[in-house]
Amino acid sequence: MEQYEPDSMSPAQLAAMRRSFRNGRAAMSRRSLLRASAGGAFAVGGLGALSACGIPAASKSQGDVTSEDHSAKEKTVNFSNWTEYIDMSDDEKRRPTLDAFTKRTGIKVKYTEDINDNVEFFGKIKPQLAAGQDTGRDLMVLTDWLAARLIRYGWVQKLDPAHLPHAYTNLSPQFRNPDWDPGRSYSYPWTGISTVIAYNTKATGGREITSVSQLLDDPKLKGKVGLLSEMRDTVGMTLLDMGKDPRDFKADDFDAAIARVQKAVDKKQVRRFTGNDYIADLSKGDLAACLAWAGDIVQLQADNPHVKFAIPDAGYISSTDNLLVPNKARHKTNAEKLIDYYYEPAVGAELAAWINYVTPMETSVVRPELAKIDKSVADDPLIVPDKTMAAKGHGFRSLTAKEETSFEEKFAQLTGG
């Protein structure tokens, strides 16, 4: 088990944190961002009171700290998630799938939308986890790189397969064996996240944009290309375009990818590095083409028929937001029941139809249920990847603490972050 070292964040990590707060994937809520894009108005908050360097922590990992499970006597589960990342009723007063879970099981869900950014949330829960204390949460949703960190530190509980029959059976093979949690012993995906190429046919003159090489080298796109401010997405997609596997690359490969993007930046091919805020620019045509997250594009296409997407022949970066049970959680069994509930085909389909992100469930299981709700959603490979698309998905390998610091420093220099 890797020991937790409560040292200060490096300048590169602080720069990455600022980028994430300023315009990362969830800097604004998914649907409110899309609503705002129509008017071109974006209000992004600052860093607030978070000081990642000043949070007290234990000097070493506590390991797999568990506690007595009170699930049998306390019919409740405390669930922390990202904003607008679950189905809601039309009047926005109810969450239908959670209500149905409570009606069936008698377990009340205290659902809190208190995750706006991985780094911020980590700062919020780190003192308790490092001290072996209860965070007040039974279930939380974290992006894969942070989930990997908590697993390495021994800060989350191993899941009981006996409580997860639907999850074990219905999880897509694409997501079964990440290098940071082989066999999904500690986590299950809430959704998948696909990084693809998006383009506006009005801005490209009707041309298709299908590769990172076009983004970086096509003179007709000069000054109208957007790359992502998240290092794993931009570098990972560039590595794939160079014939390298993001799941297994060396430091020299990373440096070569950085150099390739730097060349495009130097010749003014790249307009800017973005988070979700590419949505407005892509819709208007200020960006002709960019790297983008599939969930955003699904929703944007509903309002703008000129917006298209492409899956490069070289492949695409696939990541996940993941359900985890933290150490000292009081209601582990109840949390596991909730995880398993979302892997029932009808329930998982209802969630996918509402949030429009990649369903982590096996296609043959979830597609028939999605078709009952909305056939267009069931047939959308950005939500239900077919075998060809699933085969092209590549994760970005886990990094050591030393690598993460070094790589973020180099990416910060590239982006000016």
Side-chain angles (χ1 to χ4, degrees):
M1 190 72 65
E2 179 178 313
Q3 287 196 343
Y4 169 65
E5 298 294 339
D7 52 355
S8 299
M9 297 181 74
S10 71
Q13 289 170 319
L14 287 170
M17 180 180 73
R18 293 188 187 100
R19 286 198 307 274
S20 188
F21 270 103
R22 185 169 63 243
N23 57 9
R25 180 171 57 81
M28 299 184 70
S29 67
R30 292 152 175 81
R31 290 178 184 270
S32 62
L33 182 84
L34 286 158
R35 289 195 295 268
S37 69
F42 290 88
V44 181
L47 290 176
L50 173 65
S51 175
C53 302
I55 297 173
S59 60
K60 62 181 181 179
S61 167
Q62 298 296 315
D64 287 305
V65 179
T66 59
S67 64
E68 182 182 354
D69 189 352
H70 298 268
S71 293
K73 294 182 179 179
E74 299 177 5
K75 294 294 186 179
T76 187
V77 60
N78 298 309
F79 183 9
S80 285
N81 204 349
W82 299 71
T83 55
E84 303 199 43
Y85 213 15
I86 200 168
D87 54 300
M88 291 187 72
S89 60
D90 291 340
D91 61 9
E92 299 188 353
K93 294 182 179 179
R94 296 179 298 103
R95 297 182 175 93
T97 56
L98 288 182
D99 292 345
F101 174 77
T102 298
K103 184 177 181 180
R104 182 201 298 181
T105 65
I107 299 170
K108 295 182 179 180
V109 182
K110 181 182 178 183
Y111 185 81
T112 308
E113 294 179 321
D114 60 346
I115 307 178
N116 296 302
D117 175 273
N118 284 289
V119 175
E120 177 192 29
F121 188 73
F122 181 57
K124 190 183 300 183
I125 63 175
K126 180 169 64 172
Q128 293 96 333
L129 290 174
Q133 298 172 352
D134 183 9
T135 65
R137 298 167 178 85
D138 302 305
L139 193 61
M140 53 191 181
V141 178
L142 301 176
T143 303
D144 45 20
W145 64 266
L146 182 54
R149 181 182 298 178
L150 266 61
I151 291 171
R152 290 200 309 270
Y153 291 161
W155 287 357
V156 294
Q157 296 191 50
K158 194 169 186 177
L159 301 173
D160 185 346
H163 297 156
L164 298 160
H166 294 98
Y168 180 81
T169 301
N170 295 331
L171 178 63
S172 169
Q174 181 181 0
F175 301 116
R176 282 188 180 273
N177 287 293
D179 64 354
W180 48 271
D181 187 16
R184 292 288 179 179
S185 296
Y186 294 88
S187 69
Y188 268 88
W190 178 248
T191 62
I193 306 159
S194 301
T195 303
V196 300
I197 291 174
Y199 58 97
N200 185 321
T201 54
K202 287 187 71 174
T204 65
R207 291 188 307 129
E208 294 182 344
I209 308 301
T210 61
S211 71
V212 171
S213 289
Q214 283 178 278
L215 294 179
L216 300 180
D217 301 325
D218 187 342
K220 293 182 180 179
L221 298 177
K222 184 175 182 179
K224 287 196 165 190
V225 169
L227 301 178
L228 289 167
S229 59
E230 298 290 340
M231 179 265 287
R232 288 167 176 80
D233 293 300
T234 289
V235 174
M237 291 292 282
T238 304
L239 284 168
L240 283 168
D241 193 71
M242 297 169 64
K244 302 294 183 178
D245 189 345
R247 297 168 296 191
D248 182 22
F249 65 90
K250 307 299 183 184
D252 287 347
D253 299 324
F254 183 91
D255 290 345
I258 289 288
R260 185 163 184 226
V261 177
Q262 184 68 63
K263 183 177 178 181
V265 170
D266 291 344
K267 67 182 181 181
K268 311 297 184 185
Q269 179 78 4
V270 178
R271 185 183 185 93
R272 64 192 185 97
F273 291 83
T274 75
N276 300 77
D277 50 328
Y278 60 73
I279 293 172
D281 286 347
L282 180 64
S283 185
K284 291 186 294 186
D286 291 342
L287 286 177
C290 62
L291 295 180
W293 292 300
D296 294 334
I297 301 308
V298 170
Q299 296 174 45
L300 185 55
Q301 283 181 319
D303 298 319
N304 189 334
H306 301 292
V307 173
K308 308 293 182 182
F309 76 92
I311 305 299
D313 289 339
Y316 66 96
I317 292 295
S318 176
S319 56
T320 50
D321 282 339
N322 307 274
L323 295 152
L324 303 107
V325 177
N327 285 350
K328 303 296 283 187
R330 287 180 61 88
H331 312 107
K332 178 174 181 282
T333 297
N334 290 345
E336 290 168 335
K337 287 180 179 179
L338 187 57
I339 294 172
D340 197 60
Y341 170 72
Y342 276 101
Y343 276 83
E344 295 180 17
V347 179
E350 189 170 352
L351 178 67
W354 199 90
I355 65 175
N356 291 159
Y357 271 72
V358 178
T359 172
M361 296 177 66
E362 171 66 49
T363 298
S364 62
V365 171
V366 73
R367 177 172 282 158
E369 295 296 331
L370 262 173
K372 297 175 185 177
I373 300 170
D374 188 333
K375 191 174 185 303
S376 65
V377 173
D379 293 337
D380 192 330
L382 295 183
I383 300 174
V384 187
D386 55 26
K387 288 184 179 180
T388 300
M389 181 169 176
K392 289 184 177 181
H394 298 260
F396 194 96
R397 73 168 174 83
S398 297
L399 303 178
T400 65
K402 184 177 180 180
E403 284 178 326
E404 188 164 3
T405 298
S406 173
F407 291 176
E408 286 290 3
E409 284 178 351
K410 293 173 181 178
F411 191 70
Q413 292 172 4
L414 171 69
T415 63

